[in-house]
């Protein structure tokens, strides 16, 4: 019985991994910005209200490590960095569109503009 309990504790839940990967106040807005064609951190700062540059860089780095974004650094002055969605990131965009449609169902009809 003890072995079964340990196996259940160590079981990886894909949904939990997915939610943890996109958790972070600015990760979904970053994905939306990139999906709209923005690629540079300065564009994200202008497009996302009240995001701190340090937090933005941290979340961008996490998303690169998680395989959602790809970072390209250009050897020029001033230095330039651009982010693009990976194939995994593109799949996330499709899921976010579905989640957006589901969210519309949660909004009362009298609240819609």
């Amino acid at each position: 019985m003890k072995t079964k309990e340990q196996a259940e504790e160590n079981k990886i839940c894909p949904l939990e991994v997915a939610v943890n990967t996109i958790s972070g106040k600015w990760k979904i807005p970053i994905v939306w910005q990139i999906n709209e064609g923005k690629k540079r951190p300065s564009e994200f700062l202008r497009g996302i209200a009240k995001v701190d540059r340090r937090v933005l860089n941290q979340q961008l780095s996490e998303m690169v490590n998680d395989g959602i974004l790809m970072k390209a650094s250009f050897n020029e002055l001033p230095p330039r960095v651009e982010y693009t969605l990976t194939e995994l990131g593109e799949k996330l965009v499709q899921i976010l569109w579905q989640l957006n449609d589901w969210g519309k169902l949660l909004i009362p009809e009298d609240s819609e503009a």
Side-chain angles (χ1 to χ4, degrees):
M1 202 62 159
K2 200 79 154 159
T3 308
K4 184 178 179 184
E5 289 173 8
Q6 286 178 334
E8 287 178 6
E9 283 181 24
N10 295 332
K11 186 176 180 182
I12 297 173
C13 174
L15 180 59
E16 187 175 343
V17 172
V19 170
N20 287 339
T21 300
I22 62 171
S23 68
K25 187 172 184 178
W26 305 111
K27 288 185 178 179
I28 291 176
I30 289 168
V31 170
W32 280 129
Q33 293 285 319
I34 291 175
N35 189 51
E36 292 177 351
K38 296 180 181 173
K39 298 177 181 178
R40 301 185 66 195
S42 59
E43 293 174 313
F44 302 139
L45 287 170
R46 286 190 298 270
I48 304 171
K50 301 180 184 177
V51 63
D52 179 70
R53 181 177 285 276
R54 183 186 58 80
V55 174
L56 174 69
N57 288 336
Q58 176 186 357
Q59 296 209 344
L60 286 167
S61 178
E62 289 173 8
M63 291 168 56
V64 168
N65 291 337
D66 290 333
I68 296 170
L69 300 180
M70 189 170 29
K71 178 181 179 179
S73 299
F74 298 89
N75 190 15
E76 43 187 59
L77 290 174
R80 179 170 55 111
V81 173
E82 290 185 354
Y83 293 88
T84 55
L85 292 167
T86 62
E87 186 176 330
L88 188 62
E90 294 285 349
K91 289 179 181 180
L92 174 60
V93 169
Q94 294 170 4
I95 291 165
L96 291 175
W97 275 114
Q98 292 174 344
L99 192 58
N100 182 66
D101 291 341
W102 182 74
K104 289 176 184 177
L105 300 173
L106 300 174
I107 299 171
E109 287 184 27
D110 57 343
S111 297
E112 292 182 6

